[in-house]
């Protein structure tokens, strides 16, 4: 399986194969950088396949959350979610593909995720030209949560947070409480305090996340509000991560 992630104007890739004992072996990995996003989309898949001499028929794609717009929707009737597209905070909603996911304990609360249709189509066209197909498409930190759940057994925990250091002072977080996606948020660290840029979820869960991130920003090793925090970074060399 070939996995490709797109972040800014850079792609990272990893190719894995199954051994006879069902273990996973990494056969290729690396990254390519380009001058702009258009070149990233048009050239990256071709460069990976041809320069790395990879023979695959499909790939798994992960897009960074920078390519998405997020909002919070309250809706009791699932059939009415299309109506709420007009409340997404963007005037070009007709050009976006929208997806909704339950978030928090309330039955009527959803996380809206919106992505540009033309952007998706450009990626699809670039992949199709190589005779490949996209087997799955995910979004950065949400794919990281799946990895933590399956590989690092996070699903056995009552409360855990996935924290992504976008830079040394810019954070993205997902909070899972009792098996439920409970908070998605973006934050900045300012003088070892947490400034909330966007937080979607229940008020109590959002406060748990804020307090936990503030404890991390202050260098505390013992966290009082969650069982575990899974941390990764996509750029920079944060002293907190080290």
């Amino acid at each position: 399986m070939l996995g490709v992630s797109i972040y800014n104007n850079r792609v990272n890739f990893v190719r894995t194969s199954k051994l006879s004992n069902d273990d996973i072996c990494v056969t290729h990995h690396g990254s390519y950088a380009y001058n702009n996003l258009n070149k990233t989309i048009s050239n990256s898949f071709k460069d990976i396949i041809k320069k790395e001499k990879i023979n695959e028929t499909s790939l798994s794609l992960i897009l960074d959350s920078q390519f998405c717009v997020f909002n919070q929707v309250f809706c009791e009737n699932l059939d009415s979610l299309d109506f709420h597209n007009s409340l997404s905070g963007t005037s070009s909603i007709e050009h976006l593909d929208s997806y909704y996911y339950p978030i928090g304990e309330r039955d009527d609360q959803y996380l809206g995720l919106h992505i540009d249709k033309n952007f998706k189509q450009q990626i699809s066209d670039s992949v199709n030209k190589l005779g490949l197909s996209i087997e799955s498409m995910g979004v950065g930190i949400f794919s990281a949560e799946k990895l933590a759940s399956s590989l690092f057994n996070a699903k056995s925990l009552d409360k855990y947070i996935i924290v992504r250091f976008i830079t040394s002072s810019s954070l993205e977080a997902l909070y899972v409480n009792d098996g439920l996606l409970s908070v998605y948020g973006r934050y900045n660290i300012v003088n070892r305090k947490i400034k909330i840029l966007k937080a979607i979820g229940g008020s109590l869960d959002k406060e748990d996340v804020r307090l936990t991130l503030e404890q991390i920003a202050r260098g505390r090793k013992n966290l009082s509000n969650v069982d575990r925090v899974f941390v990764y970074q996509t750029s920079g060399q944060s002293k907190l991560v080290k």
Side-chain angles (χ1 to χ4, degrees):
M1 169 62 70
L2 175 64
V4 179
S5 67
I6 302 177
Y7 169 63
N8 283 338
N9 297 329
R10 176 180 293 273
V11 297
N12 299 299
F13 70 92
V14 59
R15 184 189 180 277
T16 60
S17 63
K18 271 192 175 184
L19 302 178
S20 57
N21 60 357
D22 285 339
D23 284 342
I24 299 296
C25 173
V26 175
T27 63
H28 301 73
H29 68 89
S31 64
Y32 287 88
Y34 301 88
N35 294 329
N36 56 63
L37 184 58
N38 285 333
K39 287 186 177 180
T40 302
I41 296 173
S42 61
N43 295 345
S44 60
F45 302 105
K46 176 179 63 178
D47 288 343
I48 292 171
I49 293 296
K50 293 186 176 180
K51 292 182 180 181
E52 305 296 331
K53 298 180 180 179
I54 294 176
N55 294 318
E56 286 288 349
T57 58
S58 63
L59 60 85
S60 175
L61 180 64
I62 297 175
L63 302 177
D64 190 76
S65 56
Q66 73 179 105
F67 301 118
C68 303
V69 176
F70 297 92
N71 73 316
Q72 184 171 239
V73 170
F74 293 94
C75 180
E76 295 183 0
N77 185 352
L78 289 175
D79 295 333
S80 301
L81 281 174
D82 287 340
F83 167 78
H84 286 275
N85 283 343
S86 61
L87 307 179
S88 66
T90 175
S91 60
S92 57
I93 193 67
E94 66 271 13
H95 301 301
L96 301 177
D97 278 338
S98 299
Y99 307 90
Y100 297 94
Y101 304 93
I103 188 167
E105 295 182 348
R106 291 182 53 157
D107 293 336
D108 63 347
Q109 188 174 7
Y110 295 87
L111 169 68
L113 186 155
H114 315 276
I115 185 167
D116 186 272
K117 292 180 180 179
N118 291 330
F119 176 64
K120 281 182 62 180
Q121 190 60 51
Q122 284 179 310
I123 293 174
S124 179
D125 291 344
S126 181
V127 171
N128 290 339
K129 285 179 181 178
L130 298 170
L132 295 172
S133 62
I134 299 175
E135 184 170 299
S136 63
M137 183 181 294
V139 174
I141 195 169
F142 298 89
S143 296
E145 191 280 323
K146 285 188 176 182
L147 181 67
S149 180
S150 60
L151 191 61
F152 297 101
N153 206 29
K155 59 187 175 183
S156 67
L157 303 172
D158 290 332
K159 299 180 179 181
Y160 63 92
I161 300 178
I162 312 295
V163 178
R164 171 199 175 198
F165 277 73
I166 303 171
T167 66
S168 59
S169 61
S170 178
L171 309 178
E172 187 177 30
L174 276 184
Y175 180 34
V176 177
N177 185 352
D178 196 22
L180 297 175
L181 174 62
S182 298
V183 174
Y184 167 78
R186 294 283 299 268
Y187 310 84
N188 280 344
I189 301 175
V190 181
N191 295 326
R192 297 202 299 173
K193 288 187 174 293
I194 294 299
K195 178 182 179 182
I196 300 174
L197 302 180
K198 176 187 286 290
I200 297 172
S203 57
L204 293 179
D205 289 327
K206 286 191 288 187
E207 182 63 9
D208 279 347
V209 173
R210 188 193 68 79
L211 290 173
T212 300
L213 295 179
E214 202 152 280
Q215 289 172 350
I216 292 173
R218 292 177 177 177
R220 282 188 54 175
K221 295 181 179 180
N222 296 319
L223 306 174
S224 57
N225 295 82
V226 299
D227 296 326
R228 190 171 298 172
V229 175
F230 299 87
V231 179
Y232 72 104
Q233 61 183 346
T234 48
S235 64
Q237 297 291 327
S238 170
K239 294 181 181 179
L240 290 173
V241 175
K242 289 183 179 181

